[in-house]
């Protein structure tokens, strides 16, 4: 498939408000202040990625198995020994992507080509080794967007709350005002940014129960149609089925599900727009919902 976005862009940081500045832009669009030196990073959730991928990342889930990222060790993609993009998957899922695709393996988020997978060391037991892996620029510093991305992938945090409040908090740790925090500022015990986020942004939200697609297809569709668009793309459907039937531990089954959907999708996506609307999904006997239930053996 074509790339959703360039794997790594050179992001600059505003020297005043410390927000990321688009590649090639010399001044911040918000306040007009000159940008600092570029850093290698990208929009962590590519705007053109499928909705299912976007939803998984917004909920801090692995985009392959859709389990919470913090529940299993993470992995990153590399090529020639260097990271190819800023994205995190579960290590076992990243290995499955690489091994199943061979020489054609790419990151499922941004489609950056890779030839290996590196396991991310434990933040709790090996913080220095952890930082060395997540530091994409290898300059011992992380920008605000990098901090948001790596902590969301590694800790059980309330991502939406952290995304909203981090800009105001970042100044307290960005002591020299260069738009980044140092390894020491991030990892320092008790008053470092990581420990602060652990304390203040722990995700204790009660997750809503997923409706049973076999007994209430309408409610199931609405549950996974999070933006209320009235349509689902392939990855939204995959995410829904995997979470409903708890398939995350069976990566062969998840891969088979993606293959089945790919094979039958155009029978339901009549206009070729990449999504299936509610009517096409719910049609009794011939809709995508009943087709999935029968094909996966859950009838």
């Amino acid at each position: 498939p074509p790339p959703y976005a360039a794997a790594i862009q050179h992001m600059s940081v505003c020297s005043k408000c410390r927000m990321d500045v688009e590649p090639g832009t010399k001044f911040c669009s918000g306040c007009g202040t000159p940008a600092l030196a570029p850093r290698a990073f990208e929009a962590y959730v590519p705007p053109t990625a499928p909705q299912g991928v976007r939803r998984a990342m917004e909920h801090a889930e692995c985009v392959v198995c859709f389990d919470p990222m913090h529940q299993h060790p993470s992995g990153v993609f590399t090529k020639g020994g260097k990271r190819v993009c800023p994205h995190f998957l579960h290590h076992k899922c990243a290995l499955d992507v690489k091994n199943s695709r061979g020489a054609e393996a790419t990151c499922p988020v941004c489609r950056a080509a890779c030839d290996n997978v590196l396991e991310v060391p434990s933040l709790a037991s090996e913080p220095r080794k952890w930082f060395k892996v997540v530091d994409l620029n290898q300059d011992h510093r992380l920008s605000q967007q990098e901090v948001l991305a790596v902590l969301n992938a590694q800790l059980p945090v309330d991502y939406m709350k952290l995304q909203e409040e981090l800009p105001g908090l970042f100044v307290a740790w960005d002591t020299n005002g260069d738009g980044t925090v140092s390894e020491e500022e991030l990892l320092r015990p008790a008053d470092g940014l990581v420990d602060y986020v652990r304390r203040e942004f722990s995700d204790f939200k009660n997750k809503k129960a997923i409706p049973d697609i076999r007994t209430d297809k309408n409610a199931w569709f609405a549950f996974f149609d999070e933006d209320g668009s009235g349509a689902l793309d392939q990855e939204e459907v995959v995410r829904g089925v995997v979470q409903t039937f708890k398939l995350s531990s069976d990566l062969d089954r998840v891969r088979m599900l993606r293959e089945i959907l790919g094979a039958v999708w155009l029978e339901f996506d009549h206009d070729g727009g990449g999504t299936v609307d509610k009517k096409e999904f719910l049609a009794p006997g011939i809709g995508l919902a009943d087709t999935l239930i029968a094909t996966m053996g859950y009838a």
Side-chain angles (χ1 to χ4, degrees):
Y4 301 139
I8 297 179
Q9 301 176 13
H10 292 284
M11 300 295 292
S12 299
V13 178
C14 174
S15 58
K16 182 179 180 181
C17 67
R18 299 176 177 83
M19 296 300 291
D20 289 320
V21 178
E22 289 301 314
T25 305
K26 296 182 179 180
F27 299 93
C28 176
S29 60
C31 66
T33 304
L36 295 167
R39 299 175 58 75
F41 202 66
E42 71 163 312
Y44 192 66
V45 184
T48 52
Q51 283 287 1
V53 170
R54 296 170 63 80
R55 292 286 172 260
M57 298 180 76
E58 288 167 5
H59 288 279
E61 298 167 355
C62 173
V63 300
V64 172
C65 72
F66 303 107
D67 271 350
M69 278 298 307
H70 68 85
Q71 288 187 356
H72 305 285
S74 299
V76 293
F77 292 107
T78 65
K79 189 171 185 177
K82 296 182 179 180
R83 286 184 63 187
V84 299
C85 69
H87 300 112
F88 297 87
L89 278 68
H90 288 147
H91 182 244
K92 62 179 181 179
C93 295
L95 283 175
D96 185 73
V97 169
K98 174 188 169 293
N99 294 335
S100 64
R101 298 292 301 278
E104 298 180 352
T106 61
C107 169
V109 179
C110 66
R111 302 303 192 200
C114 60
D115 62 17
N116 212 341
V117 173
L118 176 64
E119 184 170 2
V120 179
S122 166
L123 173 56
S125 61
E126 298 181 292
R128 302 296 171 181
K129 291 181 179 180
W130 171 85
F131 190 93
K132 185 176 181 180
V133 173
V134 304
D135 178 14
L136 189 63
N137 295 271
Q138 294 297 296
D139 62 354
H140 306 286
R141 308 189 69 82
L142 297 181
S143 73
Q144 184 180 139
Q145 187 167 344
E146 290 172 309
V147 167
L148 182 65
V150 301
L151 295 188
N152 182 51
Q154 304 290 308
L155 299 177
V157 298
D158 184 336
Y159 175 70
M160 299 307 292
K161 181 182 178 184
L162 180 61
Q163 184 179 38
E164 180 180 339
E165 298 185 17
L166 185 60
L169 298 170
F170 203 73
V171 179
W173 284 272
D174 179 15
T175 53
N176 65 356
D178 70 349
T180 65
V181 293
S182 68
E183 180 177 355
E184 181 62 28
E185 290 165 337
L186 191 72
L187 299 177
R188 190 167 54 234
D191 64 345
L193 182 53
V194 167
D195 277 355
Y196 180 84
V197 169
R198 275 198 182 106
R199 292 194 305 272
E200 300 296 326
F201 294 90
S202 292
D203 186 8
F204 294 119
K205 293 180 297 185
N206 293 320
K207 307 297 183 182
K208 293 181 179 179
I210 299 173
D212 191 331
I213 190 174
R214 295 165 294 189
T215 59
D216 195 343
K217 300 178 184 65
N218 191 69
W220 190 94
F221 184 96
F223 186 91
F224 289 102
D225 180 24
E226 293 187 17
D227 59 359
S229 66
L232 298 175
D233 71 12
Q234 285 191 46
E235 280 300 303
E236 285 179 299
V237 175
V238 172
R239 177 174 177 255
V241 174
V242 169
Q243 293 187 346
T244 298
F245 297 108
K246 305 185 187 307
L247 302 179
S248 61
S249 62
D250 190 343
L251 294 182
D252 288 337
R253 198 79 181 272
V254 175
R255 190 162 49 248
M256 181 184 75
L257 172 61
R258 283 192 167 94
E259 291 172 356
I260 291 171
L261 269 179
V264 305
W265 192 257
L266 289 180
E267 295 181 24
F268 304 95
D269 177 16
H270 298 141
D271 63 358
T275 61
V276 168
D277 65 29
K278 190 173 184 179
K279 181 179 179 180
E280 294 163 338
F281 185 83
L282 298 177
I286 59 172
L288 179 57
D290 283 339
T291 300
L292 278 173
I293 292 169
T295 304
M296 296 298 291
Y298 295 118

